[in-house]
Amino acid sequence: MNNKPVISVSAANKIFNVGSDEAVIALKDINLEIQPGEFVSFIGPSGCGKSTLLRLIANLTEPTNGTVVVNGKSPQEARLNREYGFVFQAATLYEWRTIKKNVQLPLEIMGYAPEEREQRAQKMLEMVELGRFGNHYPGQLSGGMQQRASIARALAFEPPLLLMDEPFGALDEFTRDRMNMELLRIWRQTQTTVLFVTHSIAEAVFLSTRVVVMSARPGRIKDVIDIDLPHPRLFETRESEAYYGYVTAVRESLRDAFQAEIE
Amino acid sequence: MVANTNSKGVERLRYYLPTIVVAVAVLAVWELLVRLFNIQQFLLPKPSSIVTSLISEWPVIAPRIFFTTRSAVGGFVMGTAVGILMAFITARFVSLREAMMPFAIAANSVPIIALSPIMFNWFGPLNPFSWMVIVSVMVFFPVLINTVRGLTEVQPEALELMRSYAASPLKVLLSLRVPNALPYLFSALRVASVLSMIGAIVADFFGAERNTLGKYVTQEAAVLRFANTWAAILVASLIGIALYTFVLLVERWITPWSNGQEV
Ligand SMILES: Nc1ncnc2c1ncn2[C@@H]1O[C@H](COP(=O)(O)OP(=O)(O)OP(=O)(O)O)[C@@H](O)[C@H]1O
Ligand SMILES: [Mg+2]
């Protein structure tokens, strides 16, 4: 493994509607470095700029100032090279495609052969427990099932970097636990770098190597907490003393973040 | 759920039953009122006399069906083709769209049928093409407006997904904009199928060709044979319903994901 960071954000600001009365400072003075193979979670009050930060990295929006570097390149170059997979906060499936065809979409665009597309899509769908729903249309699936299909779609082309915006928000707790284990397994196996937005403290601590706590108005990084729990993470991990320690640390940091907002 | 063909047939029947009951009831009340109050034939003929007229006049009416239906179908196809073509061009260029769409929407609310005499003047009072142009102008605007909407009113997230895959503009057009536009297009085509029959009949009124359904309507009304007039109207309605049903079936076939209600 090389030690060049996968992502390096320095002195980045993002202001929406610059110069108008409705100007919003979504991100202020963000500095962040993420190493290859890390699993970094972002947590913070609604509107603190978690989605915006992911979108900056994905080149779906531009920073107002500051720099963002992805794999040593500009975010645009990284995007054109298809170096990341993005799981959007909403499932964003194409309603005219069956679930299987939705999962195949990136493979189609990237020129995979039809048999390989078929194979990979089926494998991914089975992994998110939708193996039998390949021929359904998105409108026939529940919100949680749609969300899982969109995860299968992001994983289908095995991107070296995964940007996930509240991917498990619409899932029930049990499915969520299973999806967490799956995600960890893929992360270990493929050594992808994962950036993961969540509102769940427990999920953030359980999954991550680092948790980034953000505060709102303006969106800033408040704390970065290293999670030194052993890998692989198991169900027992959640019962360990150390785990509770980290959960408490993140909760306290978050409480301050919310407090700052109320005042 | 046991879904054998038999119970499906019963299901179907149950679905259409209210419509059938209402239709039969209306006809029965109509027949009864005309008989009871001894309403004059030229004011409102009985359904039974309309049917009798249709049977006795069929040799006169049948040959006229061809001309009028050809005008409706030809104009429908022409207007749709030109509408779709213009929609692609209009949707492609933002400035053109902003300049054209208000005009198109205004034109759509003008009673275009009033232009008929001008069309006959341009293309000849006996030329079947004149009829088709009149119909196609009526069809053109709803098709243009709806297709442009469908091509451009794409969910921002759906576009961002394509952007995250660095998809080519052609791929975005074919895999996102076009399928997104299909339900919009079909909702316009359903309206257009009805409009095209109306357009063809009214064009018949103004055109010099005598062998048409529209001319038969006016000619029989002029000599007070209103049961014959009603019979021709019945035939025209049935053709209109057939066109509409055809569009509906094609829609079900091409856009199986959409139940054709929205937009
Ligand atoms: N396109 C936009 N135009 C204007 N303001 C925007 C835009 N996108 C985001 N914002 C603003 O930027 C701030 C951060 O938004 P963002 O979506 O990044 O928050 P978030 O942390 O993802 O919130 P949530 O947890 O609710 O998803 C918010 O105040 C939001 O109103
Ligand atoms: Mg968000």
Side-chain angles (χ1 to χ4, degrees):
Chain A
M1 248 194 223
N2 57 1
N3 274 335
K4 276 216 316 251
V6 177
I7 285 158
S8 145
V9 182
S10 40
N13 293 310
K14 177 69 189 182
I15 306 170
F16 287 104
N17 312 319
V18 183
S20 83
D21 293 347
E22 290 138 45
V24 179
I25 306 173
L27 291 172
K28 190 175 163 83
D29 195 28
I30 301 293
N31 292 286
L32 182 70
E33 273 205 353
I34 295 173
Q35 303 302 322
E38 274 200 88
F39 195 123
V40 180
S41 286
F42 296 82
I43 195 166
S46 184
C48 71
K50 305 179 292 292
S51 297
T52 306
L53 179 55
L54 248 54
R55 293 161 50 78
L56 278 184
I57 293 165
N59 186 231
L60 296 176
T61 181
E62 301 278 335
T64 310
N65 41 48
T67 53
V68 180
V69 180
V70 180
N71 289 330
K73 293 173 277 255
S74 74
Q76 185 181 6
E77 285 169 305
R79 176 174 65 80
L80 294 177
N81 270 337
R82 290 147 179 172
E83 290 177 15
Y84 68 80
F86 203 114
V87 180
F88 290 86
Q89 198 163 348
T92 320
L93 300 169
Y94 289 177
E95 60 182 12
W96 50 86
R97 285 179 169 246
T98 58
I99 293 301
K100 194 166 69 186
K101 288 282 178 195
N102 264 290
V103 175
Q104 290 183 15
L105 178 69
L107 305 174
E108 217 175 279
I109 293 170
M110 295 172 198
Y112 285 75
E115 316 82 67
E116 169 131 36
R117 295 204 298 250
E118 190 77 24
Q119 255 173 26
R120 282 190 181 220
Q122 191 53 36
K123 195 176 121 208
M124 290 304 151
L125 282 176
E126 265 153 32
M127 193 199 67
V128 296
E129 300 170 10
L130 290 175
R132 292 187 301 114
F133 293 91
N135 291 323
H136 284 58
Y137 285 100
Q140 301 171 302
L141 266 55
S142 75
M145 291 161 95
Q146 293 181 15
Q147 193 64 24
R148 279 184 277 152
S150 91
I151 293 164
R153 180 183 58 193
L155 295 174
F157 67 103
E158 292 173 3
L161 171 61
L162 262 179
L163 306 172
M164 309 177 87
D165 197 349
E166 288 185 50
F168 302 144
L171 303 189
D172 67 84
E173 207 170 321
F174 294 103
T175 315
R176 193 168 181 150
D177 280 348
R178 285 203 302 279
M179 290 297 128
N180 280 343
M181 296 311 276
E182 268 314 314
L183 181 58
L184 281 178
R185 189 182 59 76
I186 291 165
W187 170 67
R188 277 197 315 273
Q189 268 179 10
T190 58
Q191 303 186 324
T192 38
T193 309
V194 181
L195 274 66
F196 186 93
V197 173
T198 178
H199 280 292
S200 157
I201 298 171
E203 188 174 66
V205 171
F206 180 69
L207 294 173
S208 314
T209 56
R210 274 200 290 170
V211 174
V212 176
V213 179
M214 298 179 68
S215 59
R217 272 161 278 272
R220 294 176 193 266
I221 294 181
K222 189 175 166 296
D223 281 315
V224 179
I225 300 169
D226 287 307
I227 310 291
D228 282 323
L229 293 170
H231 295 277
R233 308 271 165 90
L234 305 164
F235 278 104
E236 297 83 79
T237 307
R238 288 201 177 84
E239 274 138 36
S240 70
E241 199 77 29
Y243 170 82
Y244 283 113
Y246 287 122
V247 167
T248 310
V250 173
R251 178 171 298 131
E252 267 161 20
S253 173
L254 254 183
R255 188 183 300 141
D256 292 349
F258 273 97
Q259 204 64 45
E261 194 174 349
I262 293 161
E263 276 161 16
Chain B
M1 276 197 264
V2 197
N4 58 36
T5 40
N6 197 16
S7 81
K8 239 184 200 157
V10 171
E11 193 81 352
R12 261 246 163 88
L13 189 68
R14 183 168 299 170
Y15 180 78
Y16 288 115
L17 201 60
T19 320
I20 296 168
V21 167
V22 169
V24 170
V26 167
L27 287 177
V29 170
W30 177 352
E31 181 87 29
L32 208 74
L33 287 181
V34 173
R35 280 173 192 269
L36 217 66
F37 296 103
N38 212 4
I39 296 173
Q40 307 269 337
Q41 277 286 334
F42 70 89
L43 285 179
L44 186 65
K46 301 189 290 286
S48 58
S49 4
I50 294 173
V51 172
T52 317
S53 291
L54 179 57
I55 294 167
S56 63
E57 284 291 294
W58 183 248
V60 187
I61 292 176
R64 293 161 180 265
I65 291 175
F66 171 72
F67 192 96
T68 303
T69 308
R70 184 182 61 183
S71 308
V73 173
F76 177 82
V77 171
M78 255 170 55
T80 302
V82 178
I84 291 175
L85 185 74
M86 287 300 290
F88 272 93
I89 297 169
T90 310
R92 175 70 187 76
F93 303 103
V94 178
S95 50
L96 182 66
R97 188 161 78 235
E98 280 166 1
M100 287 253 314
M101 285 314 274
F103 169 74
I105 290 165
N108 194 30
S109 45
V110 168
I112 289 160
I113 199 71
L115 294 175
S116 305
I118 297 168
M119 298 298 162
F120 283 115
N121 184 36
W122 284 357
F123 300 106
L126 272 167
N127 185 354
F129 186 68
S130 302
W131 274 258
M132 294 187 198
V133 171
I134 291 162
V135 171
S136 68
V137 173
M138 292 181 74
V139 168
F140 170 77
F141 287 103
V143 168
L144 171 70
I145 292 166
N146 263 32
T147 311
V148 167
R149 278 183 54 206
L151 289 172
T152 53
E153 288 178 11
V154 174
Q155 277 193 350
E157 298 85 22
L159 273 173
E160 285 190 332
L161 185 73
M162 281 294 187
R163 185 175 154 92
S164 82
Y165 298 141
S168 69
L170 183 66
K171 184 72 186 166
V172 175
L173 180 68
L174 295 181
S175 293
L176 176 54
R177 292 188 184 278
V178 168
N180 189 68
L182 286 176
Y184 290 79
L185 170 63
F186 275 109
S187 115
L189 291 185
R190 271 184 268 136
V191 174
S193 64
V194 177
L195 283 180
S196 67
M197 202 56 208
I198 298 173
I201 294 277
V202 177
D204 285 349
F205 294 167
F206 292 101
E209 173 63 50
R210 301 209 47 77
N211 203 18
T212 65
L213 275 182
K215 272 284 184 294
Y216 180 83
V217 167
T218 47
Q219 155 204 315
E220 293 303 292
V223 293
L224 308 183
R225 287 199 288 259
F226 281 101
N228 290 354
T229 303
W230 279 93
I233 292 171
L234 175 64
V235 168
S237 311
L238 291 178
I239 297 168
I241 292 169
L243 290 180
Y244 183 90
T245 309
F246 177 73
V247 170
L248 209 63
L249 290 177
V250 175
E251 177 177 17
R252 292 246 172 94
W253 175 52
I254 297 201
T255 64
W257 67 87
S258 124
N259 42 24
Q261 240 94 105
E262 75 294 347
V263 188

